[in-house]
Each structure stands twice: as structure tokens, then as C-alpha cells.
């Protein structure tokens, strides 16, 4: 009923940039907080950034000053602009969204992830 899909990952050299997108679709009534998480093999998923329905943003210390999170309400889409990428940013990036939908009510939804690889 509700689908959340990430896109925009790829291969980039250290110091380069990528922009990730997360699009939510379906019988959506509203979206509260949306955020980005990332995971590397053998490690627990790590918080990256989040944005509220009113535009308030938060970032993990490791990405402050390099990443920018934003959202477009008209398209239920969230973005993560990643600049000055480092090899340690290599991970699968996941979209997370707090969504109220019909007829299921409020719930947490995850995308399937998009791979970001940064070479040194």
C-alpha cells in the first residue's frame, strides 16, 4: 500500500559528491519525520540525518558540514546531498519514514537501500 524507494547511489572518488533520493508513494495521509541511515557489512545500522515535517534537521556528527538533508512535500520526496565524500562513507544507505496512510494508520517504513561506494 505504501512504498518507499531510494535512488542515487553509485561509485565516486573521495572528495566527490552524490545526491540520494527517497520517494514515498501510496495512500498517504501525512509524513512526519523522514531520515537516512547507513550500514556497512558486519556493523549495526547507523543514523545519518533526519528532517521533520516542518523542516527541522538533525545530523550525525560524522557528516555535519558535508551532508545536507531536505524534503519536497509536494512529491513526498526526501534528498540527501553528500559532498566531500570520504571512503568511510561507503555503505548501503536506507530511507526511513514515519507515515500515516489509509487504511493502515501510522507506521514506520524502510526502503530497500542504495549502495554508495567511495574510493580513495
Amino acid at each position: 500500500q505504501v512504498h518507499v524507494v531510494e535512488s542515487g547511489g553509485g561509485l565516486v572518488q573521495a572528495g566527490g559528491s552524490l545526491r540520494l533520493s527517497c520517494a514515498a508513494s501510496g495512500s498517504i495521509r501525512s509524513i512526519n519525520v523522514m531520515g537516512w541511515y547507513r550500514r556497512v557489512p558486519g556493523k549495526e545500522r547507523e543514523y545519518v540525518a533526519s528532517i521533520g515535517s516542518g523542516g527541522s534537521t538533525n545530523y550525525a556528527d560524522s557528516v555535519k558540514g558535508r551532508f545536507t538533508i531536505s524534503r519536497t512535500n509536494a512529491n513526498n520526496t526526501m534528498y540527501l546531498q553528500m559532498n566531500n565524500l570520504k571512503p568511510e562513507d561507503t555503505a548501503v544507505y536506507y530511507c526511513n519514514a514515519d507515515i500515516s496512510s489509509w487504511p493502515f494508520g501510522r507506521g514506520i517504513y524502510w526502503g530497500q537501500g542504495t549502495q554508495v561506494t567511495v574510493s580513495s
Side-chain angles (χ1 to χ4, degrees), residues 33-36 47-52 55-61 63-64 67-70 80:
V33 176
M34 302 182 75
W36 290 97
Y47 169 82
V48 176
S50 59
I51 183 167
S56 298
T57 60
N58 290 98
Y59 298 91
D61 289 341
V63 305
K64 286 181 179 178
F67 291 8
T68 302
I69 190 171
S70 62
L80 185 68

Side-chain angles (χ1 to χ4, degrees), residues 18-120:
L18 286 172
R19 190 181 75 159
L20 306 183
S21 299
C22 171
S25 62
S27 302
I28 296 172
R29 293 197 297 264
S30 63
I31 302 179
N32 191 11
V33 176
M34 302 182 75
W36 290 97
Y37 291 73
R38 64 188 182 187
R39 177 180 287 171
V40 299
K43 294 185 179 296
E44 190 172 357
R45 186 152 51 192
E46 175 191 17
Y47 169 82
V48 176
S50 59
I51 183 167
S53 60
S56 298
T57 60
N58 290 98
Y59 298 91
D61 289 341
S62 60
V63 305
K64 286 181 179 178
R66 299 189 298 119
F67 291 8
T68 302
I69 190 171
S70 62
R71 64 191 289 176
T72 300
N73 292 331
N75 295 326
N76 292 323
T77 303
M78 175 180 64
Y79 305 94
L80 185 68
Q81 179 66 46
M82 304 186 294
N83 297 324
N84 191 25
L85 282 162
K86 303 175 180 180
E88 51 263 43
D89 295 318
T90 295
V92 178
Y93 283 71
Y94 295 90
C95 176
N96 173 271
D98 181 353
I99 298 174
S100 293
S101 66
W102 186 94
F104 302 106
R106 186 174 180 177
I108 304 299
Y109 294 84
W110 291 91
Q112 295 187 42
T114 184
Q115 176 71 49
V116 172
T117 302
V118 184
S119 62
S120 60

